[in-house]
Amino acid sequence: MLLAASTESNANSASTKDNDGDDDDDDDDEIGPMPPQNNARLDEDEDDEAEEEEDSDNDFDSDVLPVSRQIKLSDHRRTVSALTLDPSGARLISGGRDCTVKLWDFHGMNETFRPFRSIDEPCGGNPIRDLQFSNSGDQFLIASGANQAKLYDREGKMLTEYMKGDMYLRDMKHTKGHISALTCCKWHPNDRSTFLTASLDSSIRIWNVENKRENKVVISVKSKDKGGRTAITAATYSPDGKLIAAIGQDGELRLWGADGPFLKPTHSIERAHMSNSVTSSIAISMDNFSMITRSNDDTLKLWDIRNFKKAVATVSNLPSFYEESNAIFSPNNKLVVTGISVKKDEGVGKLMFYDKSDLSLVKDVEVGNGSVVKVLWNGKINQICASTTDGAVHVFYDDNVSVAGAKFCAGKKAKTRGVDDMAFMEDESKRVIINPHALPMYREDNILTNRGGKRKLSKVRADPIASRKPDRPMTGPGRGGKVGTSLTNHIMKGMIKDTMRDEDPREAILKYADEASANPFWIAPAYKTTQPKAVMAEKVYEDEDEEDRANKKSRPK
């Protein structure tokens, strides 16, 4: 059997070699370039994959709004005035008028919804006006009521503080930084090393991330108002990075090319919003054609950059009480979202959804008590964040059309922690410090918790020493066993001269000699049998002249 098997295997190998030889001969017979591979099929496969990716990215293009469920992140003490999400939607950063910045990680949170880091007063006592994650998500900017922007990494460590300007220079182009409070900051959409800041000093400055000593470009905004200046309340880049849009407190809307020149705007509209009102937000759609502005004159306006003359549509009677209120486009570029403000205890804040084409109302969603200030919509996770004046951030999502983010931590139970886990608590302010006297073995007995404690307490209070009873105040001479003193006695004590230096120390000691010899108490009995009898000198002066000088110094009796 073994022989037969080996014979068959040899035969198969031989036949295989013959076939290989035939193939080699056939290859040698072919002349010219190799026939093309089926590249068309490969291209079709790549197109199919690209279409699948596009389909996966456009899963959120449905008309279903992710507002069916929500979670509430409450850790601020005052109005949350700034929000930013990293591009992946994994981390949220909030800043408020309590001058603090909170960092939230959706993957690290549980149902307690606590931030993993809190930065107390990163800009001194100035409220946070704007926060912006970089396009790569590794850094974020802080714009506050101060005149210096700050750069932090995603873990909350400060990297750079940018230069402030010279407030005594009239021309803003000659200063190296802002001289007044910042209002907003924006990253360049294509260049990760460039960002802009706007300020109340009537200037927009473009910075290089690596150069903190001086801004790269200054856009000095000229106004027709008195003084020739206006506070720049909002500024932004277009999504393609080719335009810079800004609006000031004078109500004029301005456009520049991102590459300059910046001597004057390429396009402008006077009185786009009411003069002396704060236009708190500018946003440009992903098609780079539409723009919306939100103002404290209670209006929301839609503009067409291709026909930049007047507003395409306007929504009035939208209350806005805060200088940080904003309006945004939806990720699918079909809707416009903003929040409304309400007076305290007079209603609930709402999210308003409008159609992008004509600003017709599509839906309104109640958020909660207090006004809605900031709104974010991340297309990656398809979730909406809204900040309110009660110090909370509401994150809306839907179980069917949203992914990760708030869905990940909403159902995550909090871990039961023991005493050994105290060192790993997320909030350091909640850690328990145990000192030795807090343990039962070192704790003193509490009279009130023991049996018969009231009787013991009454006895202790009756004893002035045990109860450490304070001395009674003296209302007259001799009260409370003490002799009272008056202002005259106090003054006379200071006037009477101290004569201790004029006394003879020998005489001061010898006046107690008779009493000490008659009633020995301390030293004399111990040395009575061993020591000779002390003989005192009659005179302490070495010569007669010294005695005469001492008698002259002494006061006559």
Side-chain angles (χ1 to χ4, degrees):
M1 295 294 294
L2 294 174
L3 181 61
S6 62
T7 305
E8 290 177 0
S9 62
N10 293 333
N12 292 332
S13 63
S15 62
T16 304
K17 291 180 180 179
D18 294 339
N19 293 334
D20 294 340
D22 295 339
D23 294 338
D24 294 339
D25 295 339
D26 295 339
D27 294 340
D28 295 338
D29 294 339
E30 294 178 358
I31 301 175
M34 295 293 293
Q37 297 180 355
N38 195 0
N39 292 331
R41 182 178 298 175
L42 294 176
D43 294 340
E44 291 177 359
D45 294 340
E46 291 178 357
D47 294 339
D48 293 339
E49 292 178 358
E51 290 178 359
E52 290 178 358
E53 291 180 357
E54 290 180 359
D55 292 340
S56 63
D57 292 339
N58 296 330
D59 287 342
F60 306 139
D61 291 344
S62 62
D63 295 333
V64 178
L65 296 177
V67 293
S68 60
R69 303 187 66 181
Q70 67 167 306
I71 64 171
K72 185 178 180 180
L73 310 178
S74 301
D75 202 63
H76 287 275
R77 299 185 300 273
R78 298 183 64 186
T79 301
V80 180
S81 55
L83 288 177
T84 183
L85 271 167
D86 71 340
S88 64
R91 285 195 176 179
L92 171 70
I93 301 179
S94 61
R97 294 194 172 182
D98 56 0
C99 309
T100 62
V101 174
K102 310 286 183 179
L103 282 74
W104 315 78
D105 190 347
F106 289 121
H107 294 282
M109 282 194 301
N110 50 35
E111 61 183 5
T112 58
F113 305 130
R114 307 295 297 176
F116 74 91
R117 179 154 299 170
S118 178
I119 307 174
D120 295 332
E121 297 188 357
C123 303
N126 297 289
I128 308 302
R129 298 294 304 275
D130 198 8
L131 295 168
Q132 290 292 327
F133 251 119
S134 64
N135 299 329
S136 57
D138 59 339
Q139 299 171 339
F140 67 92
L141 283 168
I142 298 179
S144 68
N147 54 6
Q148 293 177 274
K150 291 189 176 183
L151 182 67
Y152 282 72
D153 65 5
R154 65 181 286 112
E155 301 299 330
K157 180 181 178 182
M158 191 181 77
L159 301 177
T160 308
E161 182 180 21
Y162 292 92
M163 193 70 176
K164 63 180 178 180
D166 188 351
M167 59 184 299
Y168 296 104
L169 294 178
R170 174 67 181 172
D171 192 350
M172 290 294 99
K173 293 182 179 180
H174 295 162
T175 61
K176 298 181 179 180
H178 290 289
I179 63 172
S180 298
L182 302 180
T183 55
C184 65
C185 56
K186 298 293 179 185
W187 289 94
H188 193 285
N190 301 324
D191 186 0
R192 59 177 297 178
S193 63
T194 302
F195 67 92
L196 67 78
T197 55
S199 172
L200 300 179
D201 61 6
S202 188
S203 70
I204 302 169
R205 297 178 186 269
I206 301 175
W207 302 80
N208 189 330
V209 173
E210 303 298 333
N211 186 8
K212 66 178 182 179
R213 296 291 183 185
E214 187 177 2
N215 51 253
K216 185 166 62 174
V217 178
V218 181
I219 305 176
S220 182
V221 180
K222 304 298 181 182
S223 174
K224 294 182 180 180
D225 287 353
K226 186 177 180 180
R229 293 186 180 183
T230 181
I232 304 301
T233 56
T236 188
Y237 280 106
S238 61
D240 58 2
K242 295 181 180 180
L243 292 177
I244 295 176
I247 191 168
Q249 200 166 357
D250 58 355
E252 184 175 351
L253 186 58
R254 303 169 175 86
L255 293 178
W256 293 270
D259 296 331
F262 301 108
L263 294 177
K264 61 179 182 178
T266 57
H267 299 81
S268 64
I269 299 178
E270 294 183 9
R271 298 180 182 179
H273 282 277
M274 183 185 299
S275 180
N276 294 325
S277 66
V278 177
T279 303
S280 54
S281 171
I282 293 181
I284 300 177
S285 62
M286 294 301 297
D287 58 10
N288 299 293
F289 297 144
S290 301
M291 181 169 60
I292 52 173
T293 55
R294 182 77 164 101
S295 176
N296 284 6
D297 60 4
D298 298 343
T299 60
L300 174 69
K301 294 187 177 183
L302 175 67
W303 310 84
D304 190 347
I305 298 178
R306 295 167 296 183
N307 186 17
F308 201 62
K309 294 181 180 180
K310 62 179 182 178
V312 176
T314 303
V315 180
S316 302
N317 300 323
L318 282 178
S320 176
F321 304 154
Y322 296 89
E323 298 176 353
E324 297 86 8
S325 300
N326 72 329
I328 59 172
F329 287 99
S330 62
N332 59 10
N333 209 29
K334 295 180 180 180
L335 299 174
V336 175
V337 190
T338 188
I340 61 173
S341 301
V342 294
K343 294 182 179 180
K344 188 175 182 181
D345 300 331
E346 293 188 7
V348 295
K350 294 182 180 180
L351 283 176
M352 312 299 291
F353 295 85
Y354 296 95
D355 187 87
K356 176 196 167 186
S357 59
D358 56 357
L359 291 186
S360 59
L361 182 62
V362 176
K363 188 174 183 179
D364 62 286
V365 179
E366 292 187 357
V367 177
N369 295 329
S371 304
V372 177
V373 183
K374 280 286 185 179
V375 181
L376 288 181
W377 192 340
N378 187 288
K380 186 85 172 179
I381 58 177
N382 197 27
Q383 296 178 16
I384 302 173
C385 301
S387 67
T388 58
T389 55
D390 62 349
V393 180
H394 299 258
V395 183
F396 292 86
Y397 65 97
D398 187 270
D399 291 331
N400 298 322
V401 298
S402 300
V403 295
K407 281 183 64 178
F408 190 85
C409 60
K412 190 176 180 181
K413 299 295 182 181
K415 179 182 177 183
T416 303
R417 297 185 179 275
V419 178
D420 296 338
D421 296 332
M422 288 297 180
F424 303 100
M425 292 184 67
E426 297 176 359
D427 191 357
E428 296 183 358
S429 63
K430 301 297 183 182
R431 292 184 182 178
V432 179
I433 300 175
I434 301 177
N435 57 6
H437 294 285
L439 300 176
M441 63 181 68
Y442 297 107
R443 191 179 303 158
E444 296 181 358
D445 293 335
N446 191 349
I447 297 176
L448 293 176
T449 58
N450 296 334
R451 189 174 181 180
K454 293 184 178 180
R455 291 194 300 271
K456 292 181 180 179
L457 183 61
S458 61
K459 291 181 180 180
V460 170
R461 287 181 175 175
D463 187 357
I465 299 177
S467 62
R468 299 177 182 176
K469 184 178 179 180
D471 294 337
R472 292 180 178 274
M474 293 182 297
T475 58
R479 292 295 183 91
K482 299 181 178 67
V483 179
T485 59
S486 63
L487 179 61
T488 305
N489 294 338
H490 179 72
I491 294 174
M492 293 302 296
K493 286 182 179 179
M495 295 177 64
I496 297 174
K497 185 178 180 181
D498 186 10
T499 60
M500 184 179 292
R501 293 184 178 182
D502 298 334
E503 293 181 1
D504 187 359
R506 180 174 178 275
E507 293 179 357
I509 295 174
L510 288 178
K511 67 181 180 180
Y512 299 102
D514 296 338
E515 184 179 357
S517 60
N519 300 316
F521 183 72
W522 296 108
I523 300 176
Y527 299 100
K528 188 174 182 180
T529 58
T530 59
Q531 294 296 325
K533 185 178 179 180
V535 178
M536 302 296 180
E538 296 181 357
K539 293 183 179 181
V540 296
Y541 303 109
E542 297 181 357
D543 53 17
E544 295 180 356
D545 295 337
E546 186 178 355
E547 184 177 1
D548 295 339
R549 290 194 299 270
N551 292 333
K552 289 179 181 179
K553 290 181 180 180
S554 61
R555 179 175 296 178
K557 296 180 181 179

